């Protein structure tokens, strides 16, 4: 019996073209593998949310109800980085709607423009999608001291 002999059953099995057996045309950085990449809307939303929070003058993202729910999530270490962010993601393009709360004293138009720029840049650079629009909705202005729960007034009842 020859060393290179195959069994009769193996000879009758057709050899299908495998996805992994195709030779690459090049090596190293020049090699391109076939396939596709699908980026979830949540990934784009998270990138947008992180980028918006990095802008000086942004106090929080989301409306009042979303922020209240976000405070509960923060308390249990389950922060939602997509809070206040809505995205639409296509094959090559993305659009984002960001709702922000601005710190009192920060120039609102400049903060909104910086959010727009930072979000578009992050989506474009990190995700690789063309950004067609970033809408910024300024929902509130945060005044320092609004979140303090301490009552410095003298109590009425002793």
């Amino acid at each position: 019996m020859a060393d290179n002999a195959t069994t009769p059953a193996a000879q009758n099995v057709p050899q299908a073209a495998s996805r992994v057996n195709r030779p690459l045309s090049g090596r190293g950085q020049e090699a391109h593998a076939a396939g596709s990449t699908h980026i979830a809307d949540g990934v784009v939303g998270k990138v947008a949310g992180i980028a918006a929070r990095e802008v000086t003058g942004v106090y929080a993202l989301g409306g009042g109800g979303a922020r209240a729910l976000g405070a509960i999530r923060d308390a249990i270490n389950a922060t939602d980085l997509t809070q206040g962010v809505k995205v639409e993601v296509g094959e090559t393009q993305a659009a984002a709607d960001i709702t922000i709360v601005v710190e009192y004293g920060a120039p609102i138009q400049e903060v909104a423009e910086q959010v727009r720029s930072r979000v578009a840049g992050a989506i474009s650079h990190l995700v690789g999608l063309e950004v067609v629009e970033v809408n910024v909705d300024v929902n509130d202005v945060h005044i320092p001291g609004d979140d303090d729960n301490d009552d410095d007034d003298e109590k009425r009842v002793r």
Side-chain angles (χ1 to χ4, degrees):
M1 196 180 238
D3 292 339
N4 293 348
T6 58
T7 63
Q11 292 174 351
N12 293 333
V13 175
Q15 295 296 320
S18 171
R19 294 190 308 166
V20 295
N21 288 339
R22 291 183 284 190
L24 290 175
S25 59
R27 298 271 182 212
Q29 293 179 348
E30 297 163 2
H32 297 283
S36 63
T37 301
H38 300 281
I39 300 171
D41 292 6
V43 172
V44 178
K46 192 176 281 190
V47 167
I50 292 169
R53 283 175 175 82
E54 291 176 345
V55 173
T56 302
V58 173
Y59 175 74
L61 268 60
R67 289 196 322 268
L69 186 57
I72 295 169
R73 284 190 190 118
D74 289 344
I76 59 171
N77 291 329
T79 303
D80 180 12
L81 296 174
T82 62
Q83 175 182 303
V85 177
K86 292 181 186 174
V87 295
E88 289 183 48
V89 180
E91 289 184 26
T92 60
Q93 296 179 328
D97 297 319
I98 314 288
T99 302
I100 64 172
V101 176
V102 177
E103 290 277 359
Y104 177 77
I108 295 172
Q109 289 292 344
E110 289 178 24
V111 171
E113 186 56 41
Q114 289 175 9
V115 167
R116 187 175 292 108
S117 176
R118 181 82 56 104
V119 167
I123 292 172
S124 189
H125 178 73
L126 297 175
V127 183
L129 296 173
E130 175 189 359
V131 179
V132 293
E133 71 179 6
V134 176
N135 298 311
V136 178
D137 179 26
V138 180
N139 188 294
D140 199 0
V141 174
H142 176 259
I143 300 170
D146 275 358
D147 294 336
D148 295 341
N149 292 331
D150 298 335
D151 232 352
D152 293 335
D153 296 335
E154 185 177 321
K155 295 188 184 227
R156 295 178 8 170
V157 178
R158 291 183 194 221

